[in-house]
Amino acid sequence: MDQLRRAAARAVPLAERGTPPDPDAGTERSRARAARILARWRAQPPFDSGDAFARRLAADGTDEAAVAAWLAAPPDEPVRGGWVDRLVAAFERPAAADPVTPPPGYEFAALVSPLLTDARDRLRAAVPGRAADVALLVPALAVTAHEMATRTMLLELNVARVTERLTADTPRGRYAEFVAGLGDPAVAVPLLAEYPVLARLLTTAADQWVRAGAELLTRLAADRAALAETFGGGADPGPVAAIRTGLGDRHRDGRAVALVDFASGLRVVYKPRSVAVDGHVAALVDWLNGQLARPLRMPVTLARDGYGWVEHVAAHPSDDPAAFYHRAGSLLAVLYLLDAVDCHAQNLVAAGNQPVLVDLETALQPQFPDRDKDLGPAEVAARDGTLHSVLRSGLLPQRSWTSGGDGGTDVSALGYAPGADPGRPAPAVAGAGTDTARVAYRRTPLAGMADARPGATVHPVDHLSDVDSGFAEAYRILAGDKGSVRKLLGAFAGDEIRLLRRDTLEYGSLLRAGLHPDLLRDALDRDRHLDRLWVLADRQPGVADFLPYERDDLWRNDIPLFTVRADGVDAVSTTGATIPRAVPRSALDAVLDRLDRLDEADLARQRDLCAAAITAVAPTETAPTGYPFTPTTPDAVRERAVAAAARVGDELVRLAYRADGELAWVGPNLTADGWVLAPLGPELYGGTAGPALFLAYLDDATGGYGAAADGAARTLRRQVDRRAETLTGGYGSAGGVLYALALLHARRPSPEYSGLAARLVRRIAATAGDDATLDVLGGCAGSIGGLIAWYATDPAGAVRDAVRRCADRLCATARPGPVGHGWLPDTLASVADRPPAGFAHGAAGCAWALDGAATLLGDERYAAAAADARAYERTLFDEDAGTWWDVRVPRDSATAYPVAWCHGATGVGLSRLGVPGASDELTAARATVLRAGFGHDFSLCHGDLGNLDLLLSTSDSAADRYLAGILDGLDEYGWLGGMPRGGTGPGLLVGLAGIGYGLLRAASPATVPSVLRMSR
């Protein structure tokens, strides 16, 4: 066993290494290898700049020279004591008569079968007479060992296969042969010596299992009578029938939630933490229930010193989803008051018509300061307003794990869809049970979340009004008796609160990735891996104070955990170490301040955010919005339109976060992953540029909005200055922002606009050659529109060059069709097999852009390319329908012939304005718009005001009658936006700014340009 003891020296982390070897130790080759590893370590963010790496090493009392020496000459002096003694002792013991046998599917635990057997025997000795209960815990230990060893054993299995050490005739036979070999100490010990870090982690896990198991079984025996009384009506529950351990994350030396089943059918949940906060939340809810129309259910708890037992809540479908979602709204109000977080789908159970929160350890979550990152004062207010709003709890739908086009996943309690793709691939074993087994990354549905849904097909967007009414009811009760609520909140003062300093998913990812065999041969490699923790420390103040404790917990296989008293500011690590002033103020003080601020204005803002969150991630199959539309007599229609636009302006100002004269908004942001509710960026489609433009034109029309317009424009300039070099192309990004700057500059010239525009022009020119989106919304076609608009202000050669680069890119990427050519944006490649029609994404928009380029540059190549695009688009015209087919859906679908700017006849018609020989197509587009273009919603993108723009752009005599019908609809149904169920936000194309802007354009089409055609 000297082999294991020598190898154990390499399993010592950097912080425990002691005196380094001589700098000249090792061979020339090993020193060169050490230099390469050290260089990679130093190049790892955030160590790749400044003195961050030196500071990191100094935290462990060492420097680069010492690390280089350890890497060149790893220690190999035999180690005695601690974990290695237990591992050696387990392998030196005589073979047990009843060894632990891994369950099927977890065969790699055989590598340390003697260690597992030893752990089982130690637990038996710790709880004498409980052998049957110990047996219930053993499978979980084997599963843990298997999962920790899997990646390394798969590597060794592959090595054994390619070196032909396995002699069986079949892949499964060779796999069985490999697994059988792991049970031989002559095979297992050298493998553990090859991977001493794995050996240490496995031994640590076994030790933790013994301690946590003994603690659980001892507590279970001591509390048996109280459990029967509290949860079983006093009846004897009978013997323990099953124990499921490891539910949730491991903390505090391997402790985790467990589910205990008794023979009588009684089931209780064991929590190895204080449940005092659960009880105090229940008391607050109990007081609230006396006044709620639909009382909330809270789990029954049995609190003990440092741990507790909780009622097991079983999920079952709702027979009244309206009641469920009303209660969910009421629960949301409680969580908002308590500043709770982490209320995701794994922590909520849909028990019939009751949304039951089963984990409350993160209620009263302290608030951390954040760097302003050059944000303006209004942007800071918007950010803080978002971070500490109803969105914070995690109950409401929201996209997580987004990464540029994969759509992310909604893991919220109310938004998670059972079976949803997690958006990110996770490691899994492919070819399990064969000698070709390997790690493969797959997207598999997340486990343990489906219980949060009241029904598989029910979505909160279908019950938005129920969530809203439940929230408002509970909010007003809490706000109406602040004295009573303050007393109830005082009970939380001494409660232990889990402090979330970092996303738990980051810890979990580090632990899983840390089991790669390349990180298990030397502890310094694992240290380097865990140093990814430093990235956040470089971005957020105060994080560095937690790093040593985070790393120690991760070395113990634990998810790091910190606690803080509800009325305190000092954090406590799992070892009991104090981190002074870890939070700027106590969570209880913050909650009491929030209670004082509850009023109707705050209620209105939180209801707005709640509605926006639910509609932003509504499923695509959500029923479209609609309203009864009838064109009417245009009596004072233009005056009515301006008055309605002013009401929109008032609402936008109300929604704004204001500070130091600047305005910023929170709302749905259109990203590659879909709609994401967040503070708005600079974009024209859904960002700050939209409200800034609208308020500017509204001030021109009515007066009285100059301060708001200027405040929005100041925020926009800040945002563009900060992000000019990161914006992409198109109407939805750099091109649209450039267009907005052109209009704002024309209204009130400023050198600041010119400087920002010049940067955007350079950005567009630099990125055009790599554009794969191509279309108006996100690609070169939309960039051309913005460039041409700016060229009217600044006819510089740089602008012409950027237009040419974009036009050349379009010509180079055109896809031939049966006639002419079109473009298939990468954003539509998964839903269409041919180039689409339409303005925002299709041939119409690209043709419009190329026509503009041809006119500006005098290049007939672009005019010819535009003509070819129109020729292709004609092949998608359906004679029977009298309009253009949307290639994303089958021709016989009810949605195959949309009428909108983005897809369909409206956009095609707008693209044909001024095009010789296109009168027939323009006539067809007009007829389609008049027949089917109204009665949808009021948005510009795919609603009635966008469709009206075609009539306005052609000075159609029907425009005023149709505008009158729209105004009647607005008066009756309010601001129906372009989001699901008529949801809206501050933005231009689907939100309030666009409704207001469309009304202003309808009132004065000669002075308010068409943003849909990016005209001046």
Side-chain angles (χ1 to χ4, degrees):
M1 291 300 169
D2 188 60
Q3 183 182 17
L4 272 180
R5 293 191 180 279
R6 287 184 177 278
R10 289 185 281 117
V12 178
L14 181 61
E16 303 171 14
R17 284 272 166 120
T19 304
D22 187 284
D24 296 325
T27 64
E28 183 177 346
R29 181 177 179 182
S30 69
R31 288 194 295 273
R33 175 182 174 277
R36 291 194 299 272
I37 295 174
L38 196 58
R40 288 200 300 271
W41 203 338
R42 197 187 304 110
Q44 176 177 309
F47 307 141
D48 53 351
S49 63
D51 63 346
F53 190 50
R55 288 187 286 110
R56 178 265 174 270
L57 296 182
D60 280 346
T62 189
D63 56 25
E64 286 195 38
V67 176
W70 275 312
L71 289 169
D76 66 350
E77 289 296 320
V79 175
R80 300 191 181 279
W83 68 269
V84 71
D85 274 6
R86 288 188 294 281
L87 181 62
V88 168
F91 274 91
E92 288 182 337
R93 283 179 56 184
D98 57 341
V100 169
T101 302
Y106 300 94
E107 296 87 358
F108 292 148
L111 175 71
V112 285
S113 182
L115 179 68
L116 307 187
T117 302
D118 175 71
R120 180 206 58 195
D121 293 346
R122 284 191 285 146
L123 181 54
R124 284 176 175 173
V127 286
R130 306 286 297 279
D133 292 343
V134 170
L136 297 175
L137 298 176
V138 170
L141 173 61
V143 168
T144 297
H146 168 87
E147 291 176 344
M148 294 177 72
T150 290
R151 297 191 73 163
T152 301
M153 292 303 97
L154 289 178
L155 172 63
E156 292 297 322
L157 172 63
N158 185 61
V159 170
R161 177 178 57 81
V162 298
T163 57
E164 299 182 346
R165 295 204 309 265
L166 303 175
T167 60
D169 294 334
T170 65
R172 291 195 174 277
R174 290 188 291 273
Y175 176 82
E177 182 183 352
F178 175 82
V179 169
L182 295 180
D184 182 352
V187 174
V189 169
L191 282 175
L192 292 170
E194 172 71 11
Y195 302 100
V197 176
L198 176 62
R200 174 178 178 149
L201 296 175
L202 288 166
T203 307
T204 299
D207 289 346
Q208 291 172 331
W209 179 84
V210 173
R211 288 190 292 270
E215 186 176 76
L216 167 58
L217 295 179
T218 299
R219 290 170 171 177
L220 184 58
D223 295 336
R224 180 182 174 86
L227 292 173
E229 185 66 31
T230 304
F231 302 106
D236 184 355
V240 176
I243 304 177
R244 287 180 56 200
T245 59
L247 303 180
D249 298 321
R250 291 192 301 268
H251 303 294
R252 291 175 168 159
D253 213 21
R255 294 173 174 85
V257 174
L259 183 63
V260 180
D261 286 319
F262 292 90
S264 66
L266 176 64
R267 174 175 283 186
V268 294
V269 179
Y270 164 73
K271 297 198 173 185
R273 63 163 178 85
S274 170
V275 296
V277 68
D278 303 60
H280 291 136
V281 174
L284 174 63
V285 170
D286 185 59
W287 173 85
L288 186 64
N289 280 343
Q291 303 167 73
L292 286 175
R294 292 185 171 96
L296 296 168
R297 174 183 171 186
M298 297 296 293
V300 176
T301 61
L302 174 62
R304 289 294 189 253
D305 186 14
Y307 70 100
W309 304 90
V310 180
E311 170 194 9
H312 176 260
V313 179
H316 56 277
S318 168
D319 60 10
D320 186 357
F324 176 90
Y325 282 111
H326 183 97
R327 289 189 174 98
S330 297
L331 179 61
L332 179 64
V334 174
L335 298 176
Y336 170 61
L337 171 65
L338 293 178
D339 235 346
V341 301
D342 213 32
C343 302
H344 50 70
Q346 287 179 323
N347 289 337
L348 188 91
V349 173
N353 299 326
Q354 286 281 0
V356 184
L357 200 59
V358 295
D359 193 344
L360 289 160
E361 66 176 338
T362 52
L364 283 83
Q365 190 65 200
Q367 302 172 2
F368 293 103
D370 198 3
R371 291 178 180 166
D372 291 345
K373 303 174 184 176
D374 301 322
L375 300 179
E379 290 181 282
V380 171
R383 179 203 64 193
D384 292 347
T386 305
L387 291 176
H388 305 301
S389 69
V390 289
L391 306 178
R392 191 179 192 218
S393 70
L395 198 74
L396 290 171
Q398 55 187 293
R399 295 184 194 279
S400 302
W401 309 338
T402 55
S403 57
D406 61 20
T409 300
D410 186 350
V411 297
S412 68
L414 296 185
Y416 177 73
D421 187 323
R424 289 184 179 180
V429 177
T434 72
D435 68 335
T436 58
R438 66 195 185 282
V439 173
Y441 284 81
R442 297 173 177 167
R443 296 184 175 187
T444 54
L446 299 169
M449 293 193 169
D451 286 351
R453 294 298 294 270
T457 61
V458 180
H459 192 279
V461 75
D462 299 317
H463 294 278
L464 178 55
S465 62
D466 298 310
V467 176
D468 178 73
S469 61
F471 178 78
E473 179 193 11
Y475 185 110
R476 288 186 171 121
I477 292 170
L478 294 168
D481 192 352
K482 293 179 179 178
S484 297
V485 177
R486 181 174 288 273
K487 290 179 182 178
L488 288 162
L489 292 175
F492 289 89
D495 289 353
E496 179 185 84
I497 304 298
R498 182 181 174 191
L499 181 65
L500 292 181
R501 197 63 184 89
R502 188 190 300 264
D503 191 337
T504 299
L505 291 171
E506 183 179 352
Y507 293 136
S509 178
L510 281 171
L511 280 175
R512 288 189 297 273
L515 294 173
H516 191 286
D518 288 349
L519 304 177
L520 300 177
R521 294 183 176 92
D522 192 309
L524 298 188
D525 293 319
R526 195 166 194 269
D527 274 333
R528 178 165 54 88
H529 168 71
L530 296 180
D531 275 354
R532 287 171 170 80
L533 293 167
W534 281 80
V535 172
L536 184 64
D538 192 55
R539 297 174 182 167
Q540 291 187 7
V543 172
D545 295 336
F546 291 78
L547 283 171
Y549 309 107
E550 290 178 308
R551 188 178 57 189
D552 289 350
D553 280 353
L554 290 168
W555 265 104
R556 287 193 293 269
N557 306 317
D558 283 343
I559 296 293
L561 182 139
F562 303 94
T563 58
V564 62
R565 277 176 54 113
D567 61 351
V569 296
D570 298 338
V572 179
S573 76
T574 55
T575 60
T578 298
I579 305 171
R581 303 293 305 178
V583 296
R585 65 185 309 214
S586 79
L588 183 56
D589 284 346
V591 168
L592 291 172
D593 282 353
R594 171 163 291 174
L595 174 65
D596 291 338
R597 294 195 303 271
L598 296 184
D599 59 22
E600 286 298 315
D602 178 66
L603 172 59
R605 185 179 292 281
Q606 302 310 319
R607 292 171 79 176
D608 290 336
L609 290 172
C610 178
I614 290 173
T615 57
V617 297
T620 55
E621 63 270 16
T622 296
T625 307
Y627 71 100
F629 172 82
T630 303
T632 60
T633 303
D635 185 22
V637 68
R638 297 179 187 276
E639 292 80 1
R640 288 180 63 196
V642 172
R647 293 195 298 273
V648 174
D650 293 341
E651 179 69 1
L652 265 179
V653 172
R654 182 190 72 80
L655 289 173
Y657 292 83
R658 286 166 282 175
D660 296 348
E662 298 186 17
L663 279 71
W665 287 268
V666 172
N669 288 253
L670 182 61
T671 72
D673 299 294
W675 293 102
V676 174
L677 187 62
L680 300 190
E683 296 81 9
L684 180 63
Y685 189 100
T688 306
L693 266 187
F694 163 60
L695 290 171
Y697 280 97
L698 180 62
D699 187 54
D700 291 343
T702 66
Y705 292 90
D710 290 345
R714 285 169 59 189
T715 297
L716 175 63
R717 292 195 297 270
R718 284 183 187 274
Q719 293 176 333
V720 178
D721 181 54
R722 192 169 62 244
R723 292 181 51 186
E725 279 68 46
T726 61
L727 291 172
T728 56
Y731 186 103
S733 191
V737 172
L738 187 59
Y739 172 68
L741 295 183
L743 295 186
L744 291 170
H745 184 71
R747 177 179 179 266
R748 186 172 295 177
S750 167
E752 193 171 357
Y753 287 128
S754 297
L756 295 172
R759 291 167 61 189
L760 292 176
V761 170
R762 290 194 296 271
R763 172 68 177 169
I764 291 170
T767 58
D770 297 323
D771 178 34
T773 304
L774 307 171
D775 61 17
V776 164
L777 189 61
C780 280
S783 294
I784 289 173
L787 290 163
I788 292 174
W790 184 255
Y791 188 79
T793 296
D794 179 16
V799 182
R800 292 172 61 90
D801 176 65
V803 171
R804 187 175 300 280
R805 289 174 184 245
C806 290
D808 286 345
R809 180 62 176 172
L810 287 177
C811 291
T813 54
R815 293 177 51 157
V819 176
H821 57 221
W823 292 263
L824 183 58
D826 61 353
T827 53
L828 298 183
S830 63
V831 295
D833 61 0
R834 70 194 75 189
F839 200 98
H841 301 289
C846 292
W848 161 84
L850 287 166
D851 277 332
T855 300
L856 180 72
L857 301 175
D859 192 327
E860 288 302 314
R861 291 184 303 129
Y862 304 142
D868 281 347
R870 287 189 289 273
Y872 167 74
E873 198 164 48
R874 291 186 196 106
T875 68
L876 302 179
F877 185 80
D878 189 293
E879 295 290 347
D880 293 334
T883 189
W884 289 262
W885 171 43
D886 182 350
V887 301
R888 298 173 302 166
V889 296
R891 283 184 182 269
D892 58 356
S893 169
T895 59
Y897 304 100
V899 186
W901 167 77
C902 49
H903 296 278
T906 303
V908 174
L910 288 171
S911 78
R912 299 308 196 258
L913 294 175
V915 175
S919 59
D920 288 348
E921 292 174 288
L922 190 54
T923 299
R926 175 185 180 275
T928 302
V929 168
L930 291 176
R931 181 182 72 252
F934 299 91
H936 305 297
D937 60 64
F938 303 118
S939 71
L940 290 180
C941 183
H942 44 260
D944 293 9
L945 284 167
N947 293 334
L948 184 69
D949 199 74
L950 179 63
L951 305 184
L952 298 171
S953 297
T954 56
S955 301
D956 196 301
S957 60
D960 283 355
R961 290 192 301 109
Y962 279 76
L963 172 60
I966 290 172
L967 290 167
D968 289 346
L970 279 166
D971 290 342
E972 180 72 20
Y973 299 100
W975 296 306
L976 298 176
M979 303 291 291
R981 291 290 192 272
T984 189
L988 187 72
L989 265 292
V990 299
L992 286 170
I995 294 173
Y997 191 94
L999 292 168
L1000 291 178
R1001 173 156 167 73
S1004 183
T1007 59
V1008 179
S1010 169
V1011 294
L1012 298 181
R1013 296 184 68 240
M1014 301 178 81
S1015 60
R1016 288 290 300 264

